[in-house]
Amino acid sequence: CFQLYGYCYQDSNDIPDTLTTITELGSPLEMIQLLQTSWEDRFRICLSLVRLLHYLAHSPLGSVTLLDFRPRQFVIVDGELKVTDLDDASIEESSCTSNSDCFMEFPARNFTLPCSVEGRCQSMNEKRNLYNAYRFFFTYLLPHSAPSSLRPLLDKIVNATGNHNKRSNAKYLQFTGAFKMIALLWLFAEYRRVPEAFIPDENYRCWPSYHHKGCLLSVFDVNEAIEICDSYSQCKAFVLTNQTTWTGRQLVFFKMAANHIVPDPDKITYVKVTD
């Protein structure tokens, strides 16, 4: 949720019972703009949403549901998704006398949950949040332009959030850290690391480039280099140099092939092994 920096309670004749809060500044969430960002950025947003879902399901107040779970209730802060409006949050689990009382209706799909012996619909708050996350976020942000090696895992996660069967969806929330680790490992598995190596030829031109006869760009880290190489159809490899820009970003050569690799103690080559 939003970081609270402070608050002020004011009680006067003109403005009775007024609470003013001071929170961090976020950017409005625009789905069309998100679809135009890199898959890695959208994946990060989905991970932050999964963490939020896990917190809502296990908050100190109990299971919390967001009754108005729509993109307009969220903002982006430093690449992370955060909820801003908690006016429609509820900790009340629906009461019931039979399973038919635990009916959840959505525009495209309906679900019936079990009624517990205590007379409460089991995990209804969690399930409602999870399905809304599926229909408003996961189904759009996760599959679109995802790396091919990740698609089987992503399909399982998206299907799990969209289908409330007898298997508990909570386990997918508990594996947030493992999901992130697997995704990064699979992403790197698409490239073979060749230390102390350089590709002298196989250049292609790109813009903007620090080299007029090749594609030499600056990156923050290897993740960004992989993202750039994946965005060029002709890119089959890239070479990390020991040179940096004046801002400290590392210079990287992007190559069309890796047919001829020569030794170079100051460089590291990454060769794409799958397309």
Side-chain angles (χ1 to χ4, degrees):
C1 297
F2 244 21
Q3 178 68 43
L4 178 67
Y5 291 129
Y7 63 91
C8 177
Y9 178 75
Q10 183 177 0
D11 187 7
S12 66
N13 294 330
D14 297 329
I15 311 176
D17 299 329
T18 298
L19 178 66
T20 302
T21 60
I22 304 170
T23 63
E24 60 186 329
L25 183 64
S27 303
L29 191 149
E30 299 290 344
M31 191 61 66
I32 294 179
Q33 293 180 1
L34 283 182
L35 291 173
Q36 296 173 347
T37 62
S38 69
W39 182 85
E40 286 80 5
D41 289 340
R42 286 183 274 115
F43 180 65
R44 181 183 179 188
I45 289 172
C46 288
L47 277 175
S48 61
L49 178 55
V50 168
R51 297 189 191 102
L52 173 63
L53 292 173
H54 186 269
Y55 177 80
L56 293 175
H58 304 88
S59 80
L61 299 175
S63 182
V64 179
T65 187
L66 302 180
L67 299 176
D68 192 12
F69 196 115
R70 284 181 285 183
R72 69 183 183 185
Q73 307 288 13
F74 299 84
V75 295
I76 303 296
V77 180
D78 296 329
E80 301 280 339
L81 189 73
K82 297 196 176 186
V83 62
T84 61
D85 190 351
L86 295 175
D87 291 345
D88 295 308
S90 173
I91 59 173
E92 294 295 327
E93 294 277 14
S94 298
S95 58
C96 59
T97 56
S98 65
N99 291 350
S100 60
D101 295 328
C102 302
F103 182 72
M104 290 197 303
E105 185 175 5
F106 295 96
R109 193 172 296 175
N110 302 324
F111 304 98
T112 300
L113 301 179
C115 179
S116 69
V117 293
E118 293 83 12
R120 296 290 177 181
C121 296
Q122 291 184 11
S123 305
M124 178 169 277
N125 287 347
E126 178 183 353
K127 305 282 189 181
R128 181 183 289 112
N129 288 340
L130 200 58
Y131 186 75
N132 280 327
Y134 159 79
R135 70 189 185 108
F136 286 120
F137 292 96
F138 295 148
T139 190
Y140 297 110
L141 300 182
L142 280 178
H144 176 61
S145 70
S148 57
S149 60
L150 283 178
R151 285 172 188 163
L153 177 59
L154 292 173
D155 287 343
K156 290 182 180 179
I157 293 175
V158 172
N159 290 336
T161 57
N163 294 293
H164 294 305
N165 52 26
K166 294 181 180 180
R167 296 178 60 187
S168 173
N169 295 302
K171 71 174 185 177
Y172 289 95
L173 304 182
Q174 296 168 1
F175 290 171
T176 303
F179 178 26
K180 183 176 181 180
M181 181 67 69
I182 291 172
L184 290 176
L185 287 175
W186 282 26
L187 191 60
F188 277 104
E190 294 187 344
Y191 289 82
R192 177 169 56 90
R193 185 177 184 270
V194 186
E196 299 185 357
F198 179 63
I199 304 173
D201 304 312
E202 308 294 351
N203 291 313
Y204 66 90
R205 294 182 179 180
C206 67
W207 187 92
S209 175
Y210 290 91
H211 194 285
H212 68 283
K213 291 185 178 181
C215 187
L216 179 64
L217 303 175
S218 67
V219 302
F220 175 74
D221 56 13
V222 178
N223 283 325
E224 185 175 359
I226 291 176
E227 178 182 338
I228 293 174
C229 191
D230 284 341
S231 68
Y232 287 96
S233 59
Q234 65 266 52
C235 183
K236 304 300 180 185
F238 60 87
V239 181
L240 300 181
T241 73
N242 60 355
Q243 297 175 297
T244 60
T245 65
W246 67 274
T247 59
R249 289 172 60 86
Q250 191 170 12
L251 291 177
V252 176
F253 279 105
F254 293 88
K255 303 288 186 174
M256 290 191 299
N259 298 322
H260 180 49
I261 300 178
V262 299
D264 191 323
D266 297 325
K267 296 179 177 63
I268 301 174
T269 292
Y270 285 80
V271 180
K272 184 180 290 189
V273 295
T274 60
D275 293 325

